[in-house]
Amino acid sequence: MDKKDMTLIGVAIVICVIICVLSPYIASGDPDGLEKSAEDSGLAEDFSVEEINGIPAAAMPDYAFANDPDNQGLQVVALIIGVIVTLILGYAVAAVVKSRN
């Protein structure tokens, strides 16, 4: 891998991290997705979050984190870790495919 490729990869990683840091703040508070479509069509059900010994049964009930300022740092860290893991897995798959050629 030459210096130009390494620079491109470095810039891509920086852009991904910037998007991860900004995404919780620029995301829509009223997303238009599967849950919204179900509500519009009258198919949505009101699920209550079940707790087992005070711990929520789902990690992200209703596909959302609690709107807690203490939680925002954790969300950003989780997003950055997710991007890094995804990039590593993508690189590993590319290396395997390249070695087969």
Side-chain angles (χ1 to χ4, degrees):
M1 198 176 301
D2 63 353
K3 185 170 174 67
K4 185 177 177 182
D5 291 340
M6 292 300 289
T7 303
L8 180 63
I9 291 171
V11 169
I13 290 172
V14 169
I15 290 171
C16 288
V17 169
I18 289 171
I19 291 171
C20 283
V21 170
L22 295 177
S23 66
Y25 305 105
I26 61 176
S28 172
D30 189 23
D32 195 19
L34 180 60
E35 188 170 344
K36 174 75 169 132
S37 298
E39 288 173 2
D40 291 346
S41 66
L43 297 174
E45 296 180 26
D46 185 22
F47 291 105
S48 61
V49 178
E50 294 181 24
E51 292 189 9
I52 301 170
N53 296 328
I55 300 171
M60 291 186 338
D62 259 352
Y63 304 104
F65 287 105
N67 194 10
D68 182 8
D70 295 335
N71 234 0
Q72 288 179 349
L74 180 63
Q75 292 174 14
V76 171
V77 170
L79 288 167
I80 292 171
I81 290 171
V83 165
I84 292 171
V85 168
T86 302
L87 290 172
I88 290 170
L89 289 174
Y91 182 79
V93 168
V96 168
V97 169
K98 184 178 178 182
S99 70
R100 289 187 179 191
N101 289 337

